[in-house]
Amino acid sequence: MRTRHTGTLFLLALAVQIGLKLWLVHHHEVVACDYPFDDPWYVVASTNWYWWGSYAEGAFIRSPAYPLWIALSRSAGLPLRLSTEFLFLAAAGAFILSLVRAGLPRTAATVVFGLIVFHPFSVYVNDAVMSESLYAPILLASIAGMIVLLTQRANRRVAVWTGLALGVLWHTRQETPLIVFQVGLFAVVAAWVGAGEGKTAREIARGVGVMVLIVSTVGAGVSLAVRTMNYASFGAFADRQGEMPGFLAAQGALLRITPEQRMRWVGVPRESLQRAYAVSPTLRLLQPYFDGPEGRMWEASSPQTVAQAHEIAGRFGWPLRAAILWAGYGNSAADTEAFCHRIAEEIDAACTTGQLRCTHARLGSLVLVRSGLSQAPFSFESVASLLFWRATAVPPRCPATFIRPPIVDVFDFAANRRTALVTAVLHIAGWAVDFVDPVQTISFQDAEGRVIAFTDRLRARPDLDAAFRARLAPQSGPLLAAFDLRISFPRDQVAGGALMFALRSGKTVEVPYDQLRSVALKHPSSVGDDRSLEYAIEYRHVQGGSGLEDRALSALLRWYGNGVVALSVAGLASLLILLPARMRGASARRLYGVVVLLLGLTVSRVTLLALFDASVWPGDDPRYLYPVAYLYPCAVLVLLWCAGRGVMAGISQKLRKP
């Protein structure tokens, strides 16, 4: 009976936390961003169910898992923001149930569940259309499967589901080495747990080997199926365009060229490009692209230090793909492959004959990593500090600009965005007066010049008449015009555009939004060539502001990182208890194995991001760490529980002694 009540309370505690998390984010919706190869690409690819898109229009530039998830969510009639949150909560539930199966008590598992579902990164990432919002719950589900396999290594059904999860991960993001590491780490932990259960080496090898074989075979089967579909649709047996052999060869050849001086985050500097143009007639066809306005666009999107040097940062595959398409050689996979192979052959030949100073061909893709090793320790510290992230608000995903209306429309359709949550209302009220040329109408135009609010109902106000009595003259028409405008715009954009005053003469006075100020009546602003128009903004407010849930979320953002710091200090102290102690019992071994698995996955991702940050692109964006950010506090909490249990067992043993 007691066990039944404990189970009921456990489920009730989980339900309360789920309800609280849904309440915290119930008014959130995915934002629309206009990054060409990121957010808009995902939603457009989802409308084509990925494989029905056009290669020439970029349907193959990323992996298919996340666009397919968006399409499934839309087909189910769910807003993407809600379906992503439900998936995350379900994966967190599966994870803590696996911990309970491994021996963690329900009370501790309840706290672990809270550490996962209330992690601040889950709000930041799930509010955007980013592949990490799918990667994180699928990774959590795969870890849950591995934990179950630590207790039931003969459970082939769980092994199959774990393999499927890893197959989805493989085609969600490009951190495939981490997936291989995860399987290898699981095999080591499973063997260690098996040894603690008294099994022979042969039994361990057989049990662990069968599970690893099933997981790997199913994951490879998923990859084979995806590549087969890609070949049928796009003519390339690869996960995505960036993995096509010719594309990799061209990038590797460009990376081989040794510049006089390397710059952080710049893989192929313009110096290398200029030298490559001289030996590669094929690459020279792309020179107008890189030297023209398109190349300057890539410079502008680079980090500031790189942009100031007029270089292009990041993985060079993105601008290379765009340049090939611009030149007319990217209409099919075969055209792209042939074009890229010619670039690689010409540069490799120049390297062989000594026309270019190059590294070894097989080291070309490792040049950036090698050049960033000196910076890696500092990058590791920067990335690892995100585990203790503290903020007062969720950082914006997009720049504060208006987004092209077609992009907003496709986001609304593909993500089933809820209208009430993606439209904000800017309320502006005030007055305007022109004693020479009276104001007739007042409107508001967006950044593209479209009128999105208009009024010709200008009211008289006694207080204004009294204030300007000495300057009033008997004239016809409205002079002291009070106005009230309500402007609807997408909630995920900062209001822009301008307030427009149309005068009787036909003249229009424009006041940019960012210059509107709420000023007192005795300090009116003057604008216009003749400085005769005076106005004051007495009220400016974006409706639908913060409520109780926003204040609660703000508190969570501020204090979660402090809680992780406290857990870390306590975890270090617990090692003083655990290190001298013997690991007794299969249950203890399993939980220690879980800690090793979680910490290993966290450290591996932080290390990869540190290398990325030191060489390729800034890696301190929380979204990159999100898939493992909550694994660290969970691992520390399990470690603390093991230490507490060890202390209580020691005290109990001493009390039993005569």
Side-chain angles (χ1 to χ4, degrees):
M1 183 66 69
R2 183 178 179 182
T3 302
R4 182 183 301 172
H5 287 320
T6 303
T8 302
L9 290 175
F10 173 59
L11 295 177
L12 180 61
L14 298 188
V16 169
Q17 292 186 75
I18 290 172
L20 182 58
K21 176 60 182 296
L22 293 176
W23 171 74
L24 280 174
V25 300
H26 77 274
H27 59 307
H28 286 221
E29 189 51 275
V30 295
V31 299
C33 292
D34 207 350
Y35 300 127
F37 299 128
D38 291 312
D39 312 46
W41 181 89
Y42 288 121
V43 295
V44 171
S46 76
T47 61
N48 297 317
W49 287 86
Y50 186 76
W51 287 299
W52 281 265
S54 168
Y55 177 92
E57 294 177 359
F60 191 44
I61 64 174
R62 287 189 180 273
S63 300
Y66 189 49
L68 293 177
W69 164 249
I70 298 174
L72 287 171
S73 172
R74 180 177 65 254
S75 298
L78 289 172
L80 180 63
R81 183 61 179 84
L82 283 182
S83 61
T84 300
E85 195 70 43
F86 292 153
L87 181 66
F88 179 58
L89 293 172
F95 177 73
I96 64 159
L97 290 177
S98 70
L99 290 180
V100 171
R101 184 185 290 269
L104 191 70
R106 291 186 175 95
T107 51
T110 302
V111 180
V112 169
F113 186 75
L115 288 174
I116 296 173
V117 301
F118 292 111
H119 198 287
F121 289 178
S122 68
V123 179
Y124 168 61
V125 175
N126 291 348
D127 278 356
V129 180
M130 296 188 286
S131 58
E132 289 85 359
S133 63
L134 175 65
Y135 193 97
I138 300 300
L139 176 64
L140 203 55
S142 71
I143 297 171
M146 289 181 171
I147 294 173
V148 172
L149 291 176
L150 291 179
T151 62
Q152 295 181 348
R153 278 184 290 281
N155 195 328
R156 288 175 169 78
R157 181 178 299 175
V158 174
V160 170
W161 280 107
T162 304
L164 288 173
L166 293 179
V168 173
L169 286 182
W170 193 280
H171 297 284
T172 302
R173 286 191 56 81
Q174 289 75 55
E175 298 96 355
T176 49
L178 295 179
I179 300 175
V180 176
F181 176 80
Q182 181 180 347
V183 175
L185 181 61
F186 163 71
V188 172
V189 170
W192 180 73
V193 172
E197 296 172 348
K199 295 184 177 181
T200 65
R202 185 173 182 178
E203 291 173 333
I204 293 173
R206 181 186 302 166
V208 175
V210 169
M211 291 300 102
V212 171
L213 180 62
I214 293 175
V215 169
S216 302
T217 301
V218 173
V222 172
S223 182
L224 178 63
V226 169
R227 289 167 183 263
T228 301
M229 287 290 295
N230 289 345
Y231 182 78
S233 299
F234 308 117
F237 192 76
D239 174 31
R240 56 191 176 88
Q241 187 181 38
E243 298 297 326
M244 295 193 308
F247 207 78
L248 290 174
Q251 293 181 75
L254 287 167
L255 287 170
R256 288 187 66 187
I257 303 172
T258 305
E260 293 298 328
Q261 184 176 4
R262 286 207 172 272
M263 183 177 183
R264 185 185 180 192
W265 298 329
V266 179
V268 182
R270 289 197 175 274
E271 172 200 344
S272 297
L273 280 176
Q274 293 298 327
R275 291 163 59 192
Y277 295 147
V279 300
S280 174
T282 306
L283 182 66
R284 202 178 305 137
L285 296 173
L286 307 182
Q287 184 174 2
Y289 179 90
F290 290 116
D291 291 349
E294 294 84 1
R296 289 191 291 274
M297 177 197 70
W298 286 102
E299 290 177 6
S301 63
S302 300
Q304 185 176 4
T305 55
V306 177
Q308 289 175 346
H310 301 290
E311 297 285 0
I312 298 174
R315 290 169 291 186
F316 198 71
W318 294 110
L320 179 62
R321 179 215 163 268
I324 292 172
L325 184 63
W326 173 88
Y329 295 93
N331 294 321
S332 70
D335 288 346
T336 303
E337 282 286 82
F339 191 85
C340 288
H341 274 302
R342 289 200 300 272
I343 292 175
E345 290 167 358
E346 291 163 357
I347 294 177
D348 288 341
C351 291
T352 302
T353 59
Q355 291 178 270
L356 292 176
R357 187 161 56 94
C358 306
T359 61
H360 191 278
R362 296 183 181 275
L363 298 179
S365 59
L366 300 177
V367 167
L368 280 180
V369 175
R370 187 178 62 183
S371 65
L373 289 179
S374 60
Q375 177 66 30
F378 305 101
S379 294
F380 187 92
E381 179 184 3
S382 174
V383 174
S385 66
L386 293 176
L387 294 171
F388 313 99
W389 188 70
R390 291 180 293 273
T392 56
V394 177
R397 163 66 176 153
C398 307
T401 57
F402 273 90
I403 301 171
R404 291 172 293 168
I407 296 296
V408 175
D409 293 342
V410 74
F411 269 86
D412 290 343
F413 167 72
N416 274 337
R417 297 207 303 171
R418 294 159 287 180
T419 303
L421 299 183
V422 296
T423 302
V425 177
L426 172 64
H427 185 190
I428 299 179
W431 55 265
V433 59
D434 190 317
F435 294 103
V436 176
D437 195 359
V439 177
Q440 301 293 296
T441 64
I442 299 175
S443 61
F444 193 90
Q445 292 185 359
D446 65 15
E448 295 184 349
R450 297 175 304 170
V451 175
I452 57 177
F454 172 88
T455 184
D456 57 2
R457 297 182 179 181
L458 306 179
R459 309 183 308 274
R461 277 184 21 188
D463 59 328
L464 295 178
D465 291 342
F468 285 96
R469 181 172 296 139
R471 299 169 60 184
L472 286 174
Q475 300 184 44
S476 60
L479 291 177
L480 297 169
F483 66 91
D484 191 305
L485 279 180
R486 296 178 185 270
I487 305 112
S488 297
F489 62 95
R491 187 181 294 273
D492 49 30
Q493 300 169 359
V494 174
L499 192 64
M500 313 294 292
F501 299 96
L503 308 181
R504 178 186 294 172
S505 64
K507 174 184 175 183
T508 300
V509 179
E510 175 180 337
V511 183
Y513 172 79
D514 56 6
Q515 295 180 17
L516 293 176
R517 296 291 183 268
S518 299
V519 296
L521 182 63
K522 61 181 179 180
H523 298 296
S525 300
S526 298
V527 296
D529 297 335
D530 54 10
R531 306 187 65 81
S532 63
L533 175 71
E534 301 179 20
Y535 76 96
I537 304 301
E538 299 172 310
Y539 183 80
R540 185 181 65 172
H541 176 65
V542 179
Q543 296 177 345
S546 62
L548 178 59
E549 59 269 35
D550 293 308
R551 292 193 292 273
L553 181 58
S554 179
L556 175 66
L557 295 173
R558 288 195 304 270
W559 292 104
Y560 191 97
N562 293 331
V564 176
V565 172
L567 273 177
S568 302
V569 173
L572 289 174
S574 71
L575 292 178
L576 301 176
I577 300 171
L578 292 173
L579 289 178
R582 295 178 60 187
M583 299 179 183
R584 298 183 178 91
S587 176
R589 278 250 175 175
R590 285 195 294 269
L591 288 177
Y592 290 133
V594 168
V595 171
V596 171
L597 183 62
L598 300 184
L599 290 180
L601 294 178
T602 303
V603 172
S604 65
R605 191 171 190 87
V606 170
T607 302
L608 184 66
L609 288 178
L611 292 174
F612 185 80
D613 179 82
S615 55
V616 180
W617 186 263
D620 56 356
D621 191 324
R623 69 186 178 109
Y624 297 138
L625 194 63
Y626 168 54
V628 300
Y630 41 74
L631 298 185
Y632 170 71
C634 292
V636 174
L637 186 63
V638 174
L639 193 67
L640 286 172
W641 184 86
C642 291
R645 189 178 69 169
V647 170
M648 296 303 296
I651 294 174
S652 177
Q653 187 176 5
K654 288 182 179 180
L655 291 177
R656 286 198 300 268
K657 288 183 179 180

